[in-house]
Amino acid sequence: DQNAAAVGQIARRLDGIPLALELAAVRSRGMTIEQIAARLDDRFRLLTGGSRTALPRQQTLRAAIDWSHNLLSQEERSLFRQLPVFAGSWTLEAAEGVTPAGELGAAQVADTLLGLVEKSMVILDVSSGRYRMLETIREYALERLRDSGEEAELRGRHLNYYLTLAEGLNFAENENRDALARLEREQDNLVAAIRWCQHAEGGGEQALRMLQAMGLYWNLVQQNRLGFQLAQQSLALPGAEARSPARCRALIALGMTGYFQARYAEAQHALEQALSLARENDDSRGIVMAQHWRANVLNAMGEHVAARSLLEDALGRAKELHFDIELARLQNNTAELLRGAGDLEAAQALYEQSLASTPSPSTNPFTVYRTLNLAMVTILQGDLGHGRDLVIKGLDLVEQGGHRFASGTLFTLLSFAGLLSALERWADAARIYGAFEAERRRGGDPLENADAQFAALFMDRARKELGEQAYQRAFDDGYNLSGDEALSEVRALLRSGE
């Protein structure tokens, strides 16, 4: 029990490779499991022992991989050392666009990559068409890349490729489910590209452009902490100080991700700078967005009158500009303020307007949240049949998205837990709420005011009716479910109530 987590970490990070695990086990004679786990970033130095009866080439992990590497052709070796510039996984198109592979031409990359797959130096996931390296192999290849002197050039190519990809998707202005799914698949590479900007010429501007193109991505996938960190780092880079619209959008990203983490003072400071910059540049859309997120922060801090005034002004500006994508966001968040203040009829009307204003609602990932917000206000008003229909619609939207958006899972669970409590299905409500809390804590962000009030109202009822012990048992059972398991239970419980 004391070291099970560290043992699991070692097994995962060594990719389950038997030789690597054997060498780690040898090290456990003189080091604690936790010490081994903490030193795996330098695994080739760490794992220098082995079985005395093993063949010479198997006496160390490096020697075993050296042996495999020596079997590669010259072209395969060239590509092999260039591929670890990718983080996580990559596509064939990305490999062709990023890796010059020395004397290898782009047209030959596919054949050479296939050779690396056949020799087990690269893994192909046939279902997704994406390639990856085992982490141990990647670290070995990364050493080769660094020794080659090609790393800076390759990372620059990698940055340019993923900046072009992000700007082509332009999720900030094109809230499309497929674009969101593509950003999620490429998140490791996008983050690596942004981080490389600190070393690249003109990297400050490139980092801000990347953040601008990604828009509200970080919130949708419950990665606000990472988004905040990247925005903060990017804004501090040389070349990022120019008072441009891109800097304004990065400040808004910093404020938005700070808001969702309840880092209100930092968020407010960033948004005040963004608003000043937008006014200086006569950036009408920037003004609307900065006002919007400033209002959200003010509302969270209890300054409801000031928040509502800012939101109403931003709503008027968005309508004048025909800024439909932001208008739908503003209507939704103004409805959140009204719901939190208890003005349920006005909130419902604005949620409905927000759904009507949402561009391409069938493919817009924000449709699910606006639908579930409408479900919650409907449940609060006691219209449980309509509330149930809206929860089903929200669940369908999450499941039809091609994958399960983290925040969509979260709010499906919250709205359904409230519905179950309103239907006096107390144990089911506590169980689904436990699953919701597990999902929320995985993301790490606190609830917004209106959602926290909704949860407290209905879960207090369930706790009172069940009693503390029974409530806690049901909650704990739900807490141990994965997000996918919890959604399956939601579907089953909805069917059982038909």
Side-chain angles (χ1 to χ4, degrees), residues 409-440:
T409 299
L410 188 71
F411 290 104
T412 300
L413 296 174
L414 177 60
S415 56
F416 189 52
L419 176 62
L420 289 168
S421 179
L423 291 168
E424 299 185 3
R425 296 170 64 175
W426 312 115
D428 289 336
R431 181 177 173 84
I432 295 301
Y433 187 68
F436 160 78
E437 269 297 304
E439 187 73 14
R440 186 190 67 77

PDB file of all heavy atoms in Angstrom, residues 409-440:
ATOM      1  N   THR A 409     -19.149  15.998 -19.884  1.00  0.00           N
ATOM      2  CA  THR A 409     -19.392  14.937 -18.906  1.00  0.00           C
ATOM      3  C   THR A 409     -19.716  15.540 -17.550  1.00  0.00           C
ATOM      4  O   THR A 409     -20.665  15.124 -16.869  1.00  0.00           O
ATOM      5  CB  THR A 409     -18.148  14.025 -18.794  1.00  0.00           C
ATOM      6  OG1 THR A 409     -17.893  13.419 -20.053  1.00  0.00           O
ATOM      7  CG2 THR A 409     -18.340  12.946 -17.740  1.00  0.00           C
ATOM      8  N   LEU A 410     -18.946  16.527 -17.151  1.00  0.00           N
ATOM      9  CA  LEU A 410     -19.104  17.150 -15.839  1.00  0.00           C
ATOM     10  C   LEU A 410     -20.514  17.692 -15.648  1.00  0.00           C
ATOM     11  O   LEU A 410     -21.189  17.381 -14.650  1.00  0.00           O
ATOM     12  CB  LEU A 410     -18.075  18.280 -15.706  1.00  0.00           C
ATOM     13  CG  LEU A 410     -17.918  18.946 -14.349  1.00  0.00           C
ATOM     14  CD1 LEU A 410     -17.241  18.007 -13.380  1.00  0.00           C
ATOM     15  CD2 LEU A 410     -17.127  20.232 -14.475  1.00  0.00           C
ATOM     16  N   PHE A 411     -21.012  18.465 -16.588  1.00  0.00           N
ATOM     17  CA  PHE A 411     -22.297  19.130 -16.392  1.00  0.00           C
ATOM     18  C   PHE A 411     -23.483  18.226 -16.693  1.00  0.00           C
ATOM     19  O   PHE A 411     -24.586  18.464 -16.198  1.00  0.00           O
ATOM     20  CB  PHE A 411     -22.332  20.443 -17.163  1.00  0.00           C
ATOM     21  CG  PHE A 411     -21.420  21.455 -16.539  1.00  0.00           C
ATOM     22  CD1 PHE A 411     -20.194  21.753 -17.112  1.00  0.00           C
ATOM     23  CD2 PHE A 411     -21.756  22.058 -15.344  1.00  0.00           C
ATOM     24  CE1 PHE A 411     -19.332  22.646 -16.507  1.00  0.00           C
ATOM     25  CE2 PHE A 411     -20.905  22.953 -14.732  1.00  0.00           C
ATOM     26  CZ  PHE A 411     -19.682  23.252 -15.313  1.00  0.00           C
ATOM     27  N   THR A 412     -23.260  17.176 -17.478  1.00  0.00           N
ATOM     28  CA  THR A 412     -24.294  16.150 -17.598  1.00  0.00           C
ATOM     29  C   THR A 412     -24.540  15.502 -16.242  1.00  0.00           C
ATOM     30  O   THR A 412     -25.687  15.312 -15.816  1.00  0.00           O
ATOM     31  CB  THR A 412     -23.882  15.074 -18.622  1.00  0.00           C
ATOM     32  OG1 THR A 412     -23.684  15.681 -19.901  1.00  0.00           O
ATOM     33  CG2 THR A 412     -24.944  13.992 -18.737  1.00  0.00           C
ATOM     34  N   LEU A 413     -23.465  15.172 -15.545  1.00  0.00           N
ATOM     35  CA  LEU A 413     -23.589  14.534 -14.233  1.00  0.00           C
ATOM     36  C   LEU A 413     -24.227  15.469 -13.215  1.00  0.00           C
ATOM     37  O   LEU A 413     -25.083  15.052 -12.419  1.00  0.00           O
ATOM     38  CB  LEU A 413     -22.206  14.070 -13.749  1.00  0.00           C
ATOM     39  CG  LEU A 413     -21.538  12.982 -14.591  1.00  0.00           C
ATOM     40  CD1 LEU A 413     -20.115  12.720 -14.108  1.00  0.00           C
ATOM     41  CD2 LEU A 413     -22.354  11.689 -14.554  1.00  0.00           C
ATOM     42  N   LEU A 414     -23.843  16.736 -13.224  1.00  0.00           N
ATOM     43  CA  LEU A 414     -24.402  17.688 -12.254  1.00  0.00           C
ATOM     44  C   LEU A 414     -25.893  17.885 -12.480  1.00  0.00           C
ATOM     45  O   LEU A 414     -26.692  17.816 -11.523  1.00  0.00           O
ATOM     46  CB  LEU A 414     -23.677  19.032 -12.348  1.00  0.00           C
ATOM     47  CG  LEU A 414     -24.216  20.144 -11.438  1.00  0.00           C
ATOM     48  CD1 LEU A 414     -24.145  19.745  -9.975  1.00  0.00           C
ATOM     49  CD2 LEU A 414     -23.475  21.449 -11.677  1.00  0.00           C
ATOM     50  N   SER A 415     -26.286  18.138 -13.719  1.00  0.00           N
ATOM     51  CA  SER A 415     -27.709  18.394 -13.979  1.00  0.00           C
ATOM     52  C   SER A 415     -28.545  17.155 -13.690  1.00  0.00           C
ATOM     53  O   SER A 415     -29.653  17.260 -13.135  1.00  0.00           O
ATOM     54  CB  SER A 415     -27.912  18.864 -15.428  1.00  0.00           C
ATOM     55  OG  SER A 415     -27.395  17.929 -16.341  1.00  0.00           O
ATOM     56  N   PHE A 416     -28.023  15.961 -13.996  1.00  0.00           N
ATOM     57  CA  PHE A 416     -28.795  14.743 -13.758  1.00  0.00           C
ATOM     58  C   PHE A 416     -28.897  14.433 -12.271  1.00  0.00           C
ATOM     59  O   PHE A 416     -29.942  13.961 -11.801  1.00  0.00           O
ATOM     60  CB  PHE A 416     -28.175  13.572 -14.518  1.00  0.00           C
ATOM     61  CG  PHE A 416     -29.031  12.335 -14.498  1.00  0.00           C
ATOM     62  CD1 PHE A 416     -30.371  12.393 -14.866  1.00  0.00           C
ATOM     63  CD2 PHE A 416     -28.506  11.114 -14.114  1.00  0.00           C
ATOM     64  CE1 PHE A 416     -31.165  11.250 -14.859  1.00  0.00           C
ATOM     65  CE2 PHE A 416     -29.287   9.974 -14.103  1.00  0.00           C
ATOM     66  CZ  PHE A 416     -30.625  10.040 -14.477  1.00  0.00           C
ATOM     67  N   ALA A 417     -27.828  14.706 -11.522  1.00  0.00           N
ATOM     68  CA  ALA A 417     -27.903  14.503 -10.068  1.00  0.00           C
ATOM     69  C   ALA A 417     -28.993  15.376  -9.466  1.00  0.00           C
ATOM     70  O   ALA A 417     -29.774  14.932  -8.601  1.00  0.00           O
ATOM     71  CB  ALA A 417     -26.554  14.807  -9.424  1.00  0.00           C
ATOM     72  N   GLY A 418     -29.102  16.626  -9.927  1.00  0.00           N
ATOM     73  CA  GLY A 418     -30.154  17.510  -9.441  1.00  0.00           C
ATOM     74  C   GLY A 418     -31.534  17.002  -9.819  1.00  0.00           C
ATOM     75  O   GLY A 418     -32.473  17.043  -9.005  1.00  0.00           O
ATOM     76  N   LEU A 419     -31.667  16.502 -11.056  1.00  0.00           N
ATOM     77  CA  LEU A 419     -32.954  15.966 -11.505  1.00  0.00           C
ATOM     78  C   LEU A 419     -33.361  14.766 -10.646  1.00  0.00           C
ATOM     79  O   LEU A 419     -34.525  14.661 -10.224  1.00  0.00           O
ATOM     80  CB  LEU A 419     -32.861  15.560 -12.972  1.00  0.00           C
ATOM     81  CG  LEU A 419     -34.099  14.880 -13.567  1.00  0.00           C
ATOM     82  CD1 LEU A 419     -35.303  15.822 -13.538  1.00  0.00           C
ATOM     83  CD2 LEU A 419     -33.818  14.401 -14.992  1.00  0.00           C
ATOM     84  N   LEU A 420     -32.435  13.862 -10.379  1.00  0.00           N
ATOM     85  CA  LEU A 420     -32.740  12.685  -9.556  1.00  0.00           C
ATOM     86  C   LEU A 420     -33.190  13.090  -8.159  1.00  0.00           C
ATOM     87  O   LEU A 420     -34.117  12.503  -7.587  1.00  0.00           O
ATOM     88  CB  LEU A 420     -31.514  11.774  -9.480  1.00  0.00           C
ATOM     89  CG  LEU A 420     -31.155  11.018 -10.767  1.00  0.00           C
ATOM     90  CD1 LEU A 420     -29.770  10.398 -10.657  1.00  0.00           C
ATOM     91  CD2 LEU A 420     -32.202   9.944 -11.075  1.00  0.00           C
ATOM     92  N   SER A 421     -32.519  14.090  -7.600  1.00  0.00           N
ATOM     93  CA  SER A 421     -32.914  14.566  -6.274  1.00  0.00           C
ATOM     94  C   SER A 421     -34.314  15.164  -6.323  1.00  0.00           C
ATOM     95  O   SER A 421     -35.152  14.908  -5.446  1.00  0.00           O
ATOM     96  CB  SER A 421     -31.903  15.597  -5.761  1.00  0.00           C
ATOM     97  OG  SER A 421     -32.279  16.075  -4.484  1.00  0.00           O
ATOM     98  N   ALA A 422     -34.613  15.952  -7.350  1.00  0.00           N
ATOM     99  CA  ALA A 422     -35.945  16.546  -7.484  1.00  0.00           C
ATOM    100  C   ALA A 422     -37.015  15.477  -7.651  1.00  0.00           C
ATOM    101  O   ALA A 422     -38.170  15.657  -7.231  1.00  0.00           O
ATOM    102  CB  ALA A 422     -35.963  17.501  -8.672  1.00  0.00           C
ATOM    103  N   LEU A 423     -36.639  14.329  -8.238  1.00  0.00           N
ATOM    104  CA  LEU A 423     -37.554  13.203  -8.407  1.00  0.00           C
ATOM    105  C   LEU A 423     -37.594  12.305  -7.169  1.00  0.00           C
ATOM    106  O   LEU A 423     -38.251  11.260  -7.182  1.00  0.00           O
ATOM    107  CB  LEU A 423     -37.138  12.372  -9.632  1.00  0.00           C
ATOM    108  CG  LEU A 423     -37.325  13.040 -11.000  1.00  0.00           C
ATOM    109  CD1 LEU A 423     -36.610  12.255 -12.087  1.00  0.00           C
ATOM    110  CD2 LEU A 423     -38.795  13.213 -11.328  1.00  0.00           C
ATOM    111  N   GLU A 424     -36.848  12.697  -6.137  1.00  0.00           N
ATOM    112  CA  GLU A 424     -36.782  11.971  -4.856  1.00  0.00           C
ATOM    113  C   GLU A 424     -36.145  10.592  -5.015  1.00  0.00           C
ATOM    114  O   GLU A 424     -36.428   9.673  -4.244  1.00  0.00           O
ATOM    115  CB  GLU A 424     -38.172  11.869  -4.220  1.00  0.00           C
ATOM    116  CG  GLU A 424     -38.772  13.246  -3.926  1.00  0.00           C
ATOM    117  CD  GLU A 424     -40.104  13.189  -3.196  1.00  0.00           C
ATOM    118  OE1 GLU A 424     -40.557  12.073  -2.862  1.00  0.00           O
ATOM    119  OE2 GLU A 424     -40.684  14.264  -2.959  1.00  0.00           O
ATOM    120  N   ARG A 425     -35.262  10.459  -5.983  1.00  0.00           N
ATOM    121  CA  ARG A 425     -34.454   9.240  -6.128  1.00  0.00           C
ATOM    122  C   ARG A 425     -33.122   9.521  -5.433  1.00  0.00           C
ATOM    123  O   ARG A 425     -32.093   9.718  -6.044  1.00  0.00           O
ATOM    124  CB  ARG A 425     -34.296   8.885  -7.602  1.00  0.00           C
ATOM    125  CG  ARG A 425     -35.634   8.535  -8.267  1.00  0.00           C
ATOM    126  CD  ARG A 425     -35.541   8.408  -9.766  1.00  0.00           C
ATOM    127  NE  ARG A 425     -34.698   7.320 -10.227  1.00  0.00           N
ATOM    128  CZ  ARG A 425     -34.559   6.975 -11.514  1.00  0.00           C
ATOM    129  NH1 ARG A 425     -35.248   7.635 -12.440  1.00  0.00           N
ATOM    130  NH2 ARG A 425     -33.769   5.983 -11.860  1.00  0.00           N
ATOM    131  N   TRP A 426     -33.193   9.549  -4.115  1.00  0.00           N
ATOM    132  CA  TRP A 426     -32.110  10.113  -3.301  1.00  0.00           C
ATOM    133  C   TRP A 426     -30.788   9.368  -3.458  1.00  0.00           C
ATOM    134  O   TRP A 426     -29.730   9.990  -3.622  1.00  0.00           O
ATOM    135  CB  TRP A 426     -32.529  10.146  -1.834  1.00  0.00           C
ATOM    136  CG  TRP A 426     -33.883  10.724  -1.569  1.00  0.00           C
ATOM    137  CD1 TRP A 426     -34.970  10.073  -1.060  1.00  0.00           C
ATOM    138  CD2 TRP A 426     -34.310  12.072  -1.812  1.00  0.00           C
ATOM    139  NE1 TRP A 426     -36.048  10.922  -0.961  1.00  0.00           N
ATOM    140  CE2 TRP A 426     -35.679  12.158  -1.419  1.00  0.00           C
ATOM    141  CE3 TRP A 426     -33.695  13.208  -2.324  1.00  0.00           C
ATOM    142  CZ2 TRP A 426     -36.423  13.328  -1.503  1.00  0.00           C
ATOM    143  CZ3 TRP A 426     -34.429  14.383  -2.421  1.00  0.00           C
ATOM    144  CH2 TRP A 426     -35.772  14.436  -2.024  1.00  0.00           C
ATOM    145  N   ALA A 427     -30.808   8.039  -3.377  1.00  0.00           N
ATOM    146  CA  ALA A 427     -29.553   7.267  -3.442  1.00  0.00           C
ATOM    147  C   ALA A 427     -28.909   7.406  -4.824  1.00  0.00           C
ATOM    148  O   ALA A 427     -27.684   7.564  -4.942  1.00  0.00           O
ATOM    149  CB  ALA A 427     -29.821   5.803  -3.118  1.00  0.00           C
ATOM    150  N   ASP A 428     -29.741   7.356  -5.882  1.00  0.00           N
ATOM    151  CA  ASP A 428     -29.201   7.548  -7.236  1.00  0.00           C
ATOM    152  C   ASP A 428     -28.600   8.945  -7.378  1.00  0.00           C
ATOM    153  O   ASP A 428     -27.550   9.126  -8.010  1.00  0.00           O
ATOM    154  CB  ASP A 428     -30.307   7.357  -8.274  1.00  0.00           C
ATOM    155  CG  ASP A 428     -30.735   5.903  -8.416  1.00  0.00           C
ATOM    156  OD1 ASP A 428     -29.931   5.015  -8.088  1.00  0.00           O
ATOM    157  OD2 ASP A 428     -31.875   5.673  -8.863  1.00  0.00           O
ATOM    158  N   ALA A 429     -29.283   9.946  -6.793  1.00  0.00           N
ATOM    159  CA  ALA A 429     -28.778  11.322  -6.869  1.00  0.00           C
ATOM    160  C   ALA A 429     -27.412  11.436  -6.208  1.00  0.00           C
ATOM    161  O   ALA A 429     -26.484  12.043  -6.759  1.00  0.00           O
ATOM    162  CB  ALA A 429     -29.761  12.277  -6.208  1.00  0.00           C
ATOM    163  N   ALA A 430     -27.277  10.831  -5.007  1.00  0.00           N
ATOM    164  CA  ALA A 430     -25.992  10.906  -4.298  1.00  0.00           C
ATOM    165  C   ALA A 430     -24.897  10.186  -5.072  1.00  0.00           C
ATOM    166  O   ALA A 430     -23.746  10.647  -5.125  1.00  0.00           O
ATOM    167  CB  ALA A 430     -26.147  10.305  -2.901  1.00  0.00           C
ATOM    168  N   ARG A 431     -25.234   9.060  -5.692  1.00  0.00           N
ATOM    169  CA  ARG A 431     -24.241   8.294  -6.450  1.00  0.00           C
ATOM    170  C   ARG A 431     -23.760   9.085  -7.670  1.00  0.00           C
ATOM    171  O   ARG A 431     -22.552   9.186  -7.914  1.00  0.00           O
ATOM    172  CB  ARG A 431     -24.857   6.962  -6.885  1.00  0.00           C
ATOM    173  CG  ARG A 431     -23.922   6.054  -7.678  1.00  0.00           C
ATOM    174  CD  ARG A 431     -24.616   4.733  -7.977  1.00  0.00           C
ATOM    175  NE  ARG A 431     -23.838   3.907  -8.869  1.00  0.00           N
ATOM    176  CZ  ARG A 431     -22.850   3.097  -8.512  1.00  0.00           C
ATOM    177  NH1 ARG A 431     -22.511   3.012  -7.233  1.00  0.00           N
ATOM    178  NH2 ARG A 431     -22.199   2.364  -9.407  1.00  0.00           N
ATOM    179  N   ILE A 432     -24.684   9.654  -8.428  1.00  0.00           N
ATOM    180  CA  ILE A 432     -24.290  10.428  -9.610  1.00  0.00           C
ATOM    181  C   ILE A 432     -23.541  11.687  -9.196  1.00  0.00           C
ATOM    182  O   ILE A 432     -22.585  12.113  -9.857  1.00  0.00           O
ATOM    183  CB  ILE A 432     -25.520  10.762 -10.471  1.00  0.00           C
ATOM    184  CG1 ILE A 432     -26.128   9.478 -11.042  1.00  0.00           C
ATOM    185  CG2 ILE A 432     -25.149  11.720 -11.597  1.00  0.00           C
ATOM    186  CD1 ILE A 432     -25.193   8.658 -11.913  1.00  0.00           C
ATOM    187  N   TYR A 433     -23.922  12.285  -8.068  1.00  0.00           N
ATOM    188  CA  TYR A 433     -23.193  13.461  -7.603  1.00  0.00           C
ATOM    189  C   TYR A 433     -21.767  13.089  -7.187  1.00  0.00           C
ATOM    190  O   TYR A 433     -20.836  13.871  -7.410  1.00  0.00           O
ATOM    191  CB  TYR A 433     -23.924  14.136  -6.435  1.00  0.00           C
ATOM    192  CG  TYR A 433     -23.279  15.444  -6.042  1.00  0.00           C
ATOM    193  CD1 TYR A 433     -23.324  16.536  -6.900  1.00  0.00           C
ATOM    194  CD2 TYR A 433     -22.595  15.581  -4.838  1.00  0.00           C
ATOM    195  CE1 TYR A 433     -22.710  17.736  -6.566  1.00  0.00           C
ATOM    196  CE2 TYR A 433     -21.980  16.783  -4.493  1.00  0.00           C
ATOM    197  CZ  TYR A 433     -22.043  17.848  -5.366  1.00  0.00           C
ATOM    198  OH  TYR A 433     -21.421  19.033  -5.040  1.00  0.00           O
ATOM    199  N   GLY A 434     -21.593  11.898  -6.611  1.00  0.00           N
ATOM    200  CA  GLY A 434     -20.236  11.434  -6.304  1.00  0.00           C
ATOM    201  C   GLY A 434     -19.387  11.327  -7.554  1.00  0.00           C
ATOM    202  O   GLY A 434     -18.218  11.722  -7.574  1.00  0.00           O
ATOM    203  N   ALA A 435     -19.989  10.802  -8.641  1.00  0.00           N
ATOM    204  CA  ALA A 435     -19.263  10.713  -9.921  1.00  0.00           C
ATOM    205  C   ALA A 435     -18.935  12.105 -10.448  1.00  0.00           C
ATOM    206  O   ALA A 435     -17.845  12.341 -10.992  1.00  0.00           O
ATOM    207  CB  ALA A 435     -20.108   9.944 -10.929  1.00  0.00           C
ATOM    208  N   PHE A 436     -19.879  13.038 -10.289  1.00  0.00           N
ATOM    209  CA  PHE A 436     -19.627  14.424 -10.687  1.00  0.00           C
ATOM    210  C   PHE A 436     -18.444  15.016  -9.925  1.00  0.00           C
ATOM    211  O   PHE A 436     -17.556  15.644 -10.512  1.00  0.00           O
ATOM    212  CB  PHE A 436     -20.880  15.271 -10.438  1.00  0.00           C
ATOM    213  CG  PHE A 436     -20.607  16.750 -10.363  1.00  0.00           C
ATOM    214  CD1 PHE A 436     -20.400  17.486 -11.516  1.00  0.00           C
ATOM    215  CD2 PHE A 436     -20.505  17.390  -9.133  1.00  0.00           C
ATOM    216  CE1 PHE A 436     -20.114  18.837 -11.449  1.00  0.00           C
ATOM    217  CE2 PHE A 436     -20.228  18.749  -9.055  1.00  0.00           C
ATOM    218  CZ  PHE A 436     -20.030  19.477 -10.213  1.00  0.00           C
ATOM    219  N   GLU A 437     -18.408  14.822  -8.610  1.00  0.00           N
ATOM    220  CA  GLU A 437     -17.323  15.391  -7.804  1.00  0.00           C
ATOM    221  C   GLU A 437     -15.976  14.793  -8.198  1.00  0.00           C
ATOM    222  O   GLU A 437     -14.958  15.499  -8.226  1.00  0.00           O
ATOM    223  CB  GLU A 437     -17.592  15.162  -6.314  1.00  0.00           C
ATOM    224  CG  GLU A 437     -18.354  16.280  -5.645  1.00  0.00           C
ATOM    225  CD  GLU A 437     -17.577  17.596  -5.661  1.00  0.00           C
ATOM    226  OE1 GLU A 437     -16.437  17.646  -5.180  1.00  0.00           O
ATOM    227  OE2 GLU A 437     -18.124  18.583  -6.184  1.00  0.00           O
ATOM    228  N   ALA A 438     -15.945  13.514  -8.517  1.00  0.00           N
ATOM    229  CA  ALA A 438     -14.687  12.897  -8.960  1.00  0.00           C
ATOM    230  C   ALA A 438     -14.223  13.537 -10.263  1.00  0.00           C
ATOM    231  O   ALA A 438     -13.041  13.858 -10.428  1.00  0.00           O
ATOM    232  CB  ALA A 438     -14.883  11.397  -9.144  1.00  0.00           C
ATOM    233  N   GLU A 439     -15.160  13.753 -11.183  1.00  0.00           N
ATOM    234  CA  GLU A 439     -14.825  14.374 -12.470  1.00  0.00           C
ATOM    235  C   GLU A 439     -14.353  15.815 -12.254  1.00  0.00           C
ATOM    236  O   GLU A 439     -13.385  16.267 -12.875  1.00  0.00           O
ATOM    237  CB  GLU A 439     -16.043  14.337 -13.385  1.00  0.00           C
ATOM    238  CG  GLU A 439     -15.788  14.791 -14.806  1.00  0.00           C
ATOM    239  CD  GLU A 439     -14.999  13.804 -15.634  1.00  0.00           C
ATOM    240  OE1 GLU A 439     -14.852  12.633 -15.215  1.00  0.00           O
ATOM    241  OE2 GLU A 439     -14.503  14.208 -16.695  1.00  0.00           O
ATOM    242  N   ARG A 440     -15.037  16.531 -11.390  1.00  0.00           N
ATOM    243  CA  ARG A 440     -14.665  17.925 -11.133  1.00  0.00           C
ATOM    244  C   ARG A 440     -13.270  18.003 -10.530  1.00  0.00           C
ATOM    245  O   ARG A 440     -12.457  18.852 -10.912  1.00  0.00           O
ATOM    246  CB  ARG A 440     -15.670  18.593 -10.191  1.00  0.00           C
ATOM    247  CG  ARG A 440     -15.413  20.089  -9.990  1.00  0.00           C
ATOM    248  CD  ARG A 440     -16.253  20.667  -8.891  1.00  0.00           C
ATOM    249  NE  ARG A 440     -15.894  20.153  -7.580  1.00  0.00           N
ATOM    250  CZ  ARG A 440     -14.830  20.549  -6.887  1.00  0.00           C
ATOM    251  NH1 ARG A 440     -13.996  21.449  -7.378  1.00  0.00           N
ATOM    252  NH2 ARG A 440     -14.574  20.040  -5.699  1.00  0.00           N
TER     253      ARG A 440
END
